[in-house]
């Protein structure tokens, strides 16, 4: 097995270069090892209130600090994980890391909400709600601080089997979000069956929405639907000032995007947050205006 490992690493050195990596360049065994070896870590992308532009929370996003290739985005490996049984251990790892971070910095983070991505395949695991509730309990993380996200397109394909686990996650006190909304074909009936709290409008509708009337129609209809179903709306991937100005015409609660903040390393996220809360305190004491 040592020889096998040596051969594999020789293979990876001679046949793979960072510049030629593809979504399926890796082997499931490598990914499993990377998780065990803590080469994977979470970044955080702030979520802001669109009316005040203040941070209201963040989404945890996985990165792989690969020994040869540097920091890799999930583009290169998430598909592989989500199509293998590794997805169960992977998501437990992600939730563990996220909860541990929240517990360590609880003082600073307690008024925020944190989004964690789950894979639809995780919802096949009937033990999941219990396991996640136990984890939250052991890290002293109130479930009400946590929003679990699942991607619309994949969810709707497997709705019957997923519904039960989603309902029970909700009963445990976690919030639920439907991610990349608009990329699948959920019906109003399906949407109303799932106790979602948040609808995340996919970034393909946000980019250039200021100048694209088709996108405007989709945004308008989605916001109306979300209001009927009592869901908060998050606009994903806001990059341009003019798009933000357009989005402010609608009742969109939150935004995420490079215009506000990139996904940040934990330390950087904490720094950014501290800067804002200093600023807020000074502002509320009246020493700053505007
Ligand atoms: P997602 O959940 O929809 O996450 C949002 C993605 O959009 C992130 O990509 C984020 O970096 C990117 N993004 C944010 N703002 C902007 C912007 O203004 N412009 C553009 N062009 N992109 C923006 P990332 O981190 O590469 O993640 C890609 C996907 O991988 C995620 O999409 C999610 O589906 C999946 N993923 C990430 N972390 C996890 C995880 O811990 N578990 C699972 N199961 N999936 C994850
Ligand atoms: Mg997400
Ligand atoms: Mg997603
Ligand atoms: Mg998304």
């Amino acid at each position: 097995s040592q020889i096998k490992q040596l051969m594999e690493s020789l293979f990876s050195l001679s046949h793979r270069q960072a510049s030629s990596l593809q979504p399926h360049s890796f082997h499931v065994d490598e990914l499993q090892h990377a998780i065990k070896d803590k080469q994977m870590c979470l970044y955080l992308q702030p979520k802001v209130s669109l009316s005040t532009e203040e941070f209201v929370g963040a989404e945890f996003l996985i990165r792989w600090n690969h020994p040869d290739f540097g920091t890799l985005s999930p583009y290169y490996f998430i598909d592989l994980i989500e199509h293998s049984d590794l997805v169960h251990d992977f998501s437990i790892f992600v939730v563990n890391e996220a909860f541990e971070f929240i517990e360590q910095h609880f003082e600073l983070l307690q008024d925020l909400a944190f989004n964690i991505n789950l894979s639809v395949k995780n919802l096949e695991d009937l033990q999941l709600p219990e396991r996640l509730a136990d984890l939250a309990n052991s890290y002293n993380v109130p479930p009400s601080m946590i929003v679990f996200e699942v991607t619309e397109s994949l969810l709707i394909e497997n709705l019957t089997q997923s519904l039960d686990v989603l309902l029970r996650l909700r009963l445990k006190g976690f919030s639920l979000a439907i991610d990349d909304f608009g990329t699948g074909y959920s019906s109003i009936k399906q949407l109303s069956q799932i106790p979602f709290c948040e609808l995340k409008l996919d970034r393909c509708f946000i980019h250039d929405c200021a100048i694209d009337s088709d996108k405007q129609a989709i945004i308008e209809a989605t916001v109306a639907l979300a209001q009927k179903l009592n869901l908060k709306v998050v606009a994903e991937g806001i990059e341009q000032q003019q798009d933000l100005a357009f989005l402010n015409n609608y009742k969109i609660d939150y935004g995420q995007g490079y215009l506000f903040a990139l996904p940040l390393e934990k330390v950087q996220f904490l720094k950014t947050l501290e800067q804002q809360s200093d600023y807020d305190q000074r502002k509320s004491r009246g020493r700053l205006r505007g």
Side-chain angles (χ1 to χ4, degrees):
S1 129
Q2 256 179 346
I3 292 175
K4 188 178 153 226
Q5 254 180 6
L6 190 65
M7 294 296 283
E8 272 173 6
S9 60
L10 279 177
F11 169 82
S12 69
L13 284 177
S14 57
H15 291 260
R16 293 188 310 201
Q17 290 177 335
S19 58
S20 65
L21 288 181
Q22 304 267 318
H24 290 265
S25 295
F26 295 101
H27 194 273
V28 180
D29 293 345
E30 288 176 283
L31 290 163
Q32 182 164 27
H33 175 258
I35 296 167
K36 267 215 198 95
D37 200 35
K38 295 233 176 185
Q39 292 172 17
M40 302 255 178
C41 74
L42 293 172
Y43 277 42
L44 293 111
Q45 186 181 35
K47 178 164 115 183
V48 305
S49 153
L50 278 198
S51 54
T52 66
E53 294 192 19
E54 282 170 341
F55 291 175
V56 294
E59 177 176 4
F60 283 102
L61 294 163
I62 197 75
R63 297 290 181 268
W64 182 4
N65 296 317
H66 193 282
D68 301 328
F69 304 128
T71 306
L72 297 178
S73 87
Y75 171 78
Y76 296 103
F77 57 87
I78 199 72
D79 208 47
L80 239 138
I81 292 181
E82 294 194 331
H83 286 90
S84 79
D85 285 331
L86 188 58
V87 74
H88 300 291
D89 287 348
F90 171 72
S91 288
I92 293 296
F93 169 80
V94 166
V95 173
N96 245 300
E97 294 286 301
F99 286 0
E100 187 180 62
F101 175 76
I102 295 171
E103 184 184 43
Q104 281 169 354
H105 305 281
F106 193 77
E107 194 87 3
L108 184 64
L109 305 180
Q110 55 186 325
D111 296 327
L112 303 176
F114 289 89
N115 289 45
I116 302 176
N117 291 282
L118 290 179
S119 161
V120 168
K121 208 173 151 82
N122 289 132
L123 305 178
E124 293 169 10
D125 175 8
L126 296 176
Q127 312 296 326
L128 190 75
E130 197 68 42
R131 289 178 79 182
L132 298 186
D134 287 348
L135 270 184
N137 188 39
S138 69
Y139 284 106
N140 297 306
V141 171
S144 59
M145 279 177 81
I146 304 299
V147 187
F148 287 115
E149 304 190 354
V150 268
T151 300
E152 182 200 20
S153 53
L154 300 171
L155 177 65
I156 296 309
E157 287 169 26
N158 302 288
L159 190 61
T160 351
Q161 62 167 25
S162 305
L163 200 53
D164 177 49
V165 168
L166 287 170
L167 289 167
R168 284 189 298 121
L169 279 170
R170 190 77 194 95
L171 284 175
K172 296 289 186 190
F174 298 109
S175 296
L176 301 173
I178 183 159
D179 202 359
D180 306 337
F181 186 81
T183 61
Y185 301 92
S186 45
S187 65
I188 299 176
K189 177 170 170 255
Q190 288 168 326
L191 273 184
S192 64
Q193 280 177 316
I194 312 165
F196 285 122
C197 314
E198 213 172 84
L199 181 157
K200 301 189 77 171
L201 195 48
D202 192 72
R203 70 166 189 263
C204 66
F205 305 112
I206 305 302
H207 186 77
D208 278 346
C209 66
I211 53 167
D212 185 328
S213 60
D214 289 349
K215 292 182 182 182
Q216 293 172 4
I218 291 167
I219 293 170
E220 197 172 328
T222 306
V223 171
L225 173 66
Q227 263 181 341
K228 281 263 181 288
L229 296 174
N230 224 346
L231 306 175
K232 300 273 190 203
V233 179
V234 185
E236 298 193 87
I238 305 175
E239 292 178 349
Q240 311 180 102
Q241 194 61 50
Q242 59 186 34
D243 293 336
L244 174 63
F246 172 80
L247 292 169
N248 276 323
N249 295 325
Y250 293 95
K251 283 215 154 164
I252 299 177
D253 305 273
Y254 308 123
Q256 254 176 275
Y258 298 164
L259 184 64
F260 305 112
L262 296 169
L264 304 169
E265 282 181 74
K266 287 171 189 155
V267 175
Q268 230 193 323
F269 173 77
L270 291 169
K271 264 193 209 147
T272 311
L273 203 62
E274 273 164 352
Q275 279 162 7
Q276 174 175 295
S277 64
D278 288 351
Y279 175 83
D280 290 346
Q281 271 170 26
R282 278 178 288 147
K283 197 163 90 175
S284 69
R285 287 196 223 108
R287 277 192 254 148
L288 275 177
R289 310 239 173 257

